[in-house]
Amino acid sequence: MNWTDVVDLVIKGNNREVEHVLKNYPYIPAIAEDLRKKKLQVLEDLPKYIQETMKNVEKLGGHAYLARDAEEARRIIGKIVGTKKTVVFSKSNVAYEIGLREFLQETGNDAWETDLGEYLVQLQNGWPAHIVAPAIDLTREDAATLVSRIDKNITKDSKIEDIVAAVRKFLMDKYLKADVGITGANAVAADSGSIALVENEGNIRIDSVLPQTHIAVTGIDKIVPTLPDALNEIYVQSAYAGLFPPTYINITSGPSSTGDIELKRVSPATGPKDFHLVLIDNGRLNASRDENIKEALLCIKCGRCYLACPVYRAIGKEWISTKSPYGGPTGVMWNYITNNDPWPASFCMHSGGCSEVCPMKIDIPTVIREIKSRGNRSLV
Amino acid sequence: MDEKAIIKELPAIRKLVYGNLMETYLPFPIDLKASSRWAVEADVPRDTDSIIFTSHMYQMGSMFKNYEKYIPLFTKLGGSRMIASVGSRLIRTDKSEVERSNRILKNIYSMLLKSGINCGYLYEDEPYSGSLLLELGFIDEFMEYGRKLLSLFRSRGVKNIYTVDPHTTNSLTNLKKMIGFDIKFAPYLNAISGTNGSGKFVLHDSCLYSRFLGMYNDVRLAAKNAGIELLENPDVTGKSTSFCCGGPIGPINAEMSSKVASLRVKQLNTVSDSILVVCPLCYENLSEFGNVKDIAEVMA
């Protein structure tokens, strides 16, 4: 199957799944509407919410950092991780954005992606083709060829179940050796300093509990006012990704702790002894102050807009995702915010499907038109 | 994605299109007599305060695609107007295409008349809407040209405009927001009544009508009222599932434009071999790959 056939099947499947979810869980659109308001509220005074979040992470016994750009973020995380460590990553677009895995490998660490799709992308030494399903462009044969590099029992004819089992076996060894687990965060609650993560595979749960150090790296745009808002972001993201209810929802509030003796809460307990939250700006604060771009920060990265876009349908990750983890229509906005690159906007056909399917009701075509226009203005 | 080519091409396209528009009200040199022949044949009055505004879209439909082929050449030569005028001699619209656009425009005019709407036409003075500037993201230039356009309409005493295509309707909608374009306008599909039509089609929605101008249901109603049967499939013709004909990317990347068009036709053909469109540019892009009719060809 070629790319356009694959993506056509994915699009049909996603449309049906989302339709089914919204029919069976009719409260989702109202939650999405409320979430939009809450996220806009944060964008009105992002510095205040960053400060509140960091203060509450520290209160929980964790450590919070604000990195202005990718370089500063790598420096902070590099210092926490050190060298010669085994590091397990859950799928994090922000980690891609700042080139974190490569950086940690270059500084002498054994770093592995643990989300199956992302792991295949790592073996491929490529870029994710979709924000939720990174290996969407790989067939069973492609996956088998890649996995045969780490397990000689896998051949081109191997079944999907056998490929998955081989990866599981390989990663289990890494999990048990891991010193550091690095995750992203789907949402960060300012009022509690908690992070919320959604997944289906179970790798995030292991990455965030088994290694003795947990580092969560995410953008300041992920901050929401309260813990219930953070959970709402999880519900909306998974519903519009067509994966609802999600298999696992993880809430992490600081390092592991126990109150079993005299109800005195002490830390650490069984899980990580250290928890670090690294918040990344990298263009987001400026965007929050830019009335014409600000809406892009409402994106919850469900990836639905990709599937409603004719350009993505035609060329997939070749559009943007060979230089940024963000692709599709939202990637045009996010590549501009994080890389100051307006040119992918020139390919927008203003088909308008992106804003039709966006749960956050972001006026994506108007933001893209603004980016297109800024690019054009810069031309002599 | 070849960004270097885009960065090279865009200034040339701007120079060519914007330069031509500010001087002649047209994006490319075209034969104005030929463009207004339909109105001569239909005996459309001049100097009326209500006008039909074709923006030369049906007349230029095929020329747009032809000019796209020459964009790399214009880029090499810096997008000068001299080259554009040479282009006008090289690029001619096929005779049958001219006859087809004449038939469509005469029919649209006749449907408006039948609906009790009397309107005239600006003939050789008819301008282009500027939609190409808007869609390519030349917003400053679009607004500047929009002011010129508004002045022209005002100087001709125009008070009501009936548009015939989504790109022009969208341009005027944006000019209303951006520069306070204050002349009333309406797409002809929303103004006509008592029409008769026939046939069974799958509708390829115009992105602009359905998702930007709130006309997803209006277009269906216009077809249904005329007796045209539209075959629907939620994966193909839904408001959020249908997609572009590829036309707008043509000036930037003709290859991708064709790729999107062929994908769209392949998808539409899973519902029906007969495709109905409501936009001259959708017709140009899709008809290369399938059997396409404009709605004004199947109702009267």
Side-chain angles (χ1 to χ4, degrees):
Chain A
M1 265 200 290
N2 62 28
W3 163 252
T4 52
D5 292 334
V6 170
V7 79
D8 195 46
L9 280 178
V10 172
I11 290 167
K12 280 181 189 151
N14 176 264
N15 287 338
R16 287 209 183 95
E17 282 304 320
V18 175
E19 193 184 332
H20 172 79
V21 168
L22 298 182
K23 193 175 157 198
N24 287 289
Y25 305 93
Y27 49 80
I28 296 284
I31 294 176
E33 201 181 321
D34 180 62
L35 182 62
R36 180 185 157 91
K37 284 182 198 150
K38 297 291 172 54
K39 286 178 80 75
L40 278 171
Q41 179 189 321
V42 172
L43 294 182
E44 284 306 308
D45 195 353
L46 200 42
K48 185 192 98 177
Y49 283 96
I50 293 170
Q51 213 177 13
E52 188 186 340
T53 304
M54 292 176 73
K55 193 182 76 189
N56 286 323
V57 169
E58 299 282 346
K59 259 192 197 170
L60 292 165
H63 306 282
Y65 314 80
L66 174 64
R68 280 164 303 179
D69 52 29
E71 199 187 326
E72 192 178 358
R74 287 193 299 265
R75 200 166 51 238
I76 292 167
I77 297 167
K79 214 169 157 187
I80 300 167
V81 173
T83 58
K84 296 180 183 170
K85 303 281 171 38
T86 298
V87 183
V88 283
F89 275 80
S90 74
K91 188 171 62 191
S92 162
N93 293 298
V94 173
Y96 261 100
E97 177 188 324
I98 62 172
L100 188 55
R101 180 165 36 81
E102 290 82 354
F103 172 76
L104 292 179
Q105 286 168 329
E106 283 160 15
T107 50
N109 296 290
D110 187 30
W112 290 96
E113 296 288 349
T114 60
D115 172 86
L116 180 65
E118 208 72 83
Y119 175 75
L120 294 173
V121 174
Q122 180 180 3
L123 291 181
Q124 193 191 26
N125 200 22
W127 284 89
H130 185 270
I131 208 157
V132 174
I136 199 178
D137 55 337
L138 301 182
T139 60
R140 183 193 57 78
E141 288 85 351
D142 296 332
T145 306
L146 289 168
V147 174
S148 68
R149 291 186 202 164
I150 54 111
D151 189 328
K152 292 203 167 62
N153 295 318
I154 298 297
T155 67
K156 271 193 171 179
D157 301 322
S158 293
K159 289 191 293 184
I160 292 177
E161 289 82 351
D162 295 334
I163 300 168
V164 174
V167 175
R168 181 190 166 94
K169 191 176 148 201
F170 177 88
L171 288 178
M172 199 50 78
D173 178 55
K174 300 295 173 190
Y175 287 133
L176 294 172
K177 286 183 189 157
D179 304 290
V180 181
I182 296 182
T183 68
N186 292 94
V188 182
D191 70 340
S192 66
S194 311
I195 64 160
L197 281 152
V198 63
E199 60 159 333
N200 296 295
E201 293 179 19
N203 64 308
I204 294 182
R205 197 157 278 199
I206 302 178
D207 290 340
S208 61
V209 171
L210 202 52
Q212 285 300 287
T213 300
H214 174 195
I215 303 170
V217 52
T218 196
I220 52 177
D221 55 295
K222 290 291 177 190
I223 298 173
V224 289
T226 67
L227 187 53
D229 297 326
L231 278 166
N232 282 344
E233 181 150 346
I234 294 281
Y235 300 145
V236 178
Q237 197 269 1
S238 51
Y240 286 88
L243 300 162
F244 192 89
T247 311
Y248 303 107
I249 293 174
N250 305 284
I251 300 290
T252 300
S253 309
S256 63
S257 66
T258 176
D260 279 0
I261 301 173
E262 295 181 354
L263 278 183
K264 188 189 173 194
R265 194 167 180 177
V266 295
S267 187
T270 310
K273 62 182 174 59
D274 291 311
F275 172 76
H276 304 267
L277 174 64
V278 183
L279 293 167
I280 314 279
D281 174 357
N282 207 26
R284 291 163 174 85
L285 197 57
N286 277 343
S288 76
R289 291 166 176 154
D290 186 333
E291 282 307 313
N292 296 315
I293 303 292
K294 182 169 140 177
E295 280 229 342
L297 298 174
L298 300 176
C299 177
I300 57 169
K301 314 288 192 301
C302 68
R304 249 200 129 194
C305 61
Y306 286 55
L307 307 179
C309 174
V311 185
Y312 181 74
R313 195 187 269 261
I315 59 171
K317 69 180 175 188
E318 298 308 315
W319 185 10
I320 310 163
S321 307
T322 50
K323 55 183 178 181
S324 163
Y326 311 110
T330 197
V332 173
M333 304 191 294
W334 278 86
N335 189 47
Y336 180 70
I337 291 170
T338 58
N339 282 338
N340 200 24
D341 175 7
W343 302 115
S346 302
F347 272 54
C348 173
M349 301 182 190
H350 53 82
S351 183
C354 49
S355 58
E356 284 294 321
V357 300
C358 176
M360 288 291 98
K361 305 283 175 222
I362 302 170
D363 187 357
I364 302 173
T366 302
V367 177
I368 292 181
R369 191 176 73 191
E370 174 65 21
I371 295 168
K372 211 188 251 194
S373 159
R374 289 182 188 186
N376 288 348
R377 274 185 205 126
S378 72
L379 294 170
V380 183
Chain B
M1 195 188 73
D2 191 358
E3 287 179 4
K4 281 183 188 160
I6 293 173
I7 293 167
K8 224 170 152 187
E9 278 176 13
L10 279 169
I13 296 173
R14 172 171 59 189
K15 194 173 170 189
L16 176 73
V17 175
Y18 179 59
N20 278 330
L21 280 173
M22 292 307 280
E23 208 168 309
T24 67
Y25 290 99
L26 299 167
F28 313 118
I30 61 167
D31 181 346
L32 288 167
K33 271 202 169 168
S35 196
S36 56
R37 190 162 302 136
W38 71 271
V40 175
E41 287 169 13
D43 198 19
V44 183
R46 295 170 187 264
D47 302 322
T48 54
D49 59 8
S50 285
I51 60 159
I52 184 169
F53 180 28
T54 76
S55 188
H56 306 279
M57 291 298 284
Y58 278 95
Q59 302 92 315
M60 292 195 302
S62 60
M63 284 180 73
F64 268 105
K65 282 206 79 70
N66 287 330
Y67 266 96
E68 282 163 12
K69 289 176 199 155
Y70 284 89
I71 280 171
L73 175 67
F74 294 150
T75 304
K76 271 189 198 157
L77 297 164
S80 71
R81 286 206 58 238
M82 185 188 79
I83 298 306
S85 61
V86 171
S88 76
R89 269 178 259 142
L90 289 171
I91 300 162
R92 295 209 176 272
T93 306
D94 182 80
K95 202 180 165 196
S96 66
E97 284 297 311
V98 174
E99 283 166 6
R100 179 180 167 271
S101 89
N102 282 353
R103 272 197 311 275
I104 287 173
L105 290 172
K106 282 194 281 186
N107 188 34
I108 292 173
Y109 176 68
S110 147
M111 286 190 280
L112 283 168
L113 274 183
K114 196 172 159 183
S115 310
I117 294 163
N118 293 300
C119 54
Y121 184 57
L122 294 178
Y123 285 81
E124 287 89 343
D125 294 337
E126 177 175 64
Y128 170 67
S129 69
S131 63
L132 203 50
L133 292 175
L134 173 68
E135 290 161 20
L136 289 172
F138 296 118
I139 306 301
D140 300 335
E141 292 83 351
F142 173 69
M143 289 198 288
E144 196 176 337
Y145 175 68
R147 289 185 195 101
K148 191 175 159 75
L149 189 69
L150 180 59
S151 296
L152 173 76
F153 284 136
R154 278 183 182 154
S155 73
R156 299 298 298 262
V158 174
K159 295 203 167 58
N160 278 303
I161 293 171
Y162 293 97
T163 56
V164 300
D165 73 286
H167 293 268
T168 305
T169 314
N170 184 55
S171 288
L172 299 186
T173 304
N174 276 280
L175 286 176
K176 193 175 169 181
K177 286 184 221 157
M178 291 173 177
I179 63 156
F181 186 93
D182 56 0
I183 299 172
K184 276 193 213 161
F185 60 90
Y188 88 94
L189 282 171
N190 282 355
I192 54 174
S193 57
T195 52
N196 290 305
S198 61
K200 207 187 266 191
F201 300 91
V202 56
L203 176 70
H204 164 75
D205 277 289
S206 139
C207 296
L208 295 175
Y209 274 164
S210 72
R211 288 180 286 276
F212 289 84
L213 299 167
M215 289 175 59
Y216 178 80
N217 291 324
D218 296 347
V219 172
R220 280 163 177 73
L221 193 65
K224 192 183 159 198
N225 287 345
I228 296 164
E229 190 182 340
L230 296 181
L231 302 166
E232 303 277 4
N233 175 326
D235 284 330
V236 178
T237 59
K239 192 177 176 191
S240 62
T241 54
S242 72
F243 65 91
C244 187
C245 68
I249 194 70
I252 297 286
N253 188 316
E255 192 188 335
M256 193 195 293
S257 175
S258 285
K259 188 170 181 182
V260 171
S262 75
L263 286 172
R264 181 62 178 147
V265 169
K266 191 176 158 195
Q267 193 194 39
L268 289 161
N269 283 345
T270 62
V271 183
S272 170
D273 287 338
S274 302
I275 299 167
L276 193 66
V277 294
V278 287
C279 167
L281 297 189
C282 291
Y283 175 86
E284 286 305 325
N285 244 40
L286 299 181
S287 57
E288 193 183 332
F289 302 98
N291 175 26
V292 185
K293 291 269 185 212
D294 188 281
I295 195 167
E297 288 179 285
V298 296
M299 68 178 189

